[in-house]
Each structure stands twice: as C-alpha cells, then as structure tokens.
Amino acid sequence: MINFSLAKQAFYDTTLSYPDLPSDLIEITIEQHEQILSAINSGCIVFPDLSYSPPRPSQFHEWDGKAWLDKRTEEEIKQHQRQSMPNLSPIEFDIKLNNAGLYDAVQELIKDSFELRIAYNRATFFSRTASFVDQARIALGLTDEQVDEMWTS
C-alpha cells in the first residue's frame, strides 16, 4: 500500500519499516501515485485534495499558497540572464563588435591599457559578465542593455 505525505511531499510504502512516519499520510492508489509522481517530478506542489499546482516555472519561483512568484529584483533577473548568455569565441566576439560598430573603438581602448590588451588578446572566450567586458562597456560609455543587445544579436 502506498501513502503520500502532504507535508513532506513524499511517498511511503507501508510494507516497509520506517523509524518515523509523518502523521499526515494519505492512502493513494497506484494510478494516483503515478499522477502525483509525475506532477512532483515536473515541479508541482500537491494539495490536500491531491490536485496540484502548475509546474514551478524556474528555480527562482516560490509557491505563496496561490501562485508561483519570482521574488528577485529586476536587476537580479537581468544579472541572471547575463550570466546565462553564451560565451563567445574571440572570433565571434570580434564579429559582434564589428557588427555593432565597436571594433575600432575597442582596438583603440586596448591600445592604451596594458591590462585590457592582455585580457583581450589572451582570452580563449568572452563571457558577458567578464570584468573585461564590463570595463570596456564603461570606458566606451555603453549601457548594459546595449551590450546585451550586441551579445544576443
């Protein structure tokens, strides 16, 4: 016989011996077990009537009892999106710079800074959140949104 604990959002087989069982066990059928297991694996919360929430949209969403909420600030969401942007090879990075009309400006910028020149010339890839990219963005007077657009276009 299979039981389900709402508090633990977990299954318990009563043919097995447990040192401490939750007090809120509900006996369920095999069909209910399959449905609930699928729902839990999809990131749903199971309710007392054994219905369940929609799947959790992301790791950042929390269930408030009625809906999934992402409590991050707009800046935290943007920062996560930037961290998720693909790394660019040096060739891809140069092409993006050229397409954005920034290649010559970056070459001029690194000419005057040993540290930036080394970071640019020795990079095996460029990350959207790398310090070189941010330093160049600031030096060129670009906004984060402008760099995001260049990165994703």
Side-chain angles (χ1 to χ4, degrees):
M1 181 180 308
I2 300 173
N3 289 278
F4 181 73
S5 167
L6 290 168
K8 302 279 186 185
Q9 295 283 295
F11 300 99
Y12 294 85
D13 184 341
T14 56
T15 62
L16 302 175
S17 181
Y18 296 93
D20 189 25
L21 284 171
S23 61
D24 69 338
L25 292 179
I26 300 170
E27 187 176 324
I28 60 172
T29 65
I30 290 176
E31 292 80 20
Q32 288 172 317
H33 174 260
E34 290 172 1
Q35 291 172 347
I36 294 169
L37 180 61
S38 177
I40 289 173
N41 286 339
S42 296
C44 301
I45 301 287
V46 181
F47 304 127
D49 66 356
L50 301 182
S51 64
Y52 36 88
S53 71
R56 185 177 186 185
S58 77
Q59 65 191 24
F60 303 105
H61 285 76
E62 297 174 18
W63 184 253
D64 74 347
K66 296 180 183 176
W68 291 108
L69 299 177
D70 185 343
K71 296 181 180 180
R72 295 177 296 166
T73 65
E74 187 175 324
E75 188 53 40
E76 289 171 328
I77 292 170
K78 286 181 181 179
Q79 185 60 24
H80 180 262
Q81 290 170 338
R82 289 182 184 118
Q83 290 170 344
S84 300
M85 289 181 180
N87 291 332
L88 301 176
S89 71
I91 292 171
E92 291 169 322
F93 186 66
D94 282 348
I95 291 170
K96 298 258 185 203
L97 288 174
N98 186 64
N99 290 344
L102 296 169
Y103 181 82
D104 291 337
V106 169
Q107 297 307 309
E108 192 64 31
L109 176 67
I110 65 173
K111 182 175 77 169
D112 297 330
S113 170
F114 178 76
E115 289 84 10
L116 290 179
R117 189 168 54 252
I118 293 298
Y120 177 85
N121 288 327
R122 303 250 174 111
T124 56
F125 66 89
F126 290 90
S127 164
R128 172 59 188 89
T129 56
S131 61
F132 168 80
V133 173
D134 202 44
Q135 290 171 351
R137 176 191 66 77
I138 292 167
L140 295 172
L142 300 172
T143 65
D144 274 318
E145 290 71 22
Q146 288 173 306
V147 177
D148 293 346
E149 176 63 29
M150 179 198 83
W151 214 270
T152 58
S153 63

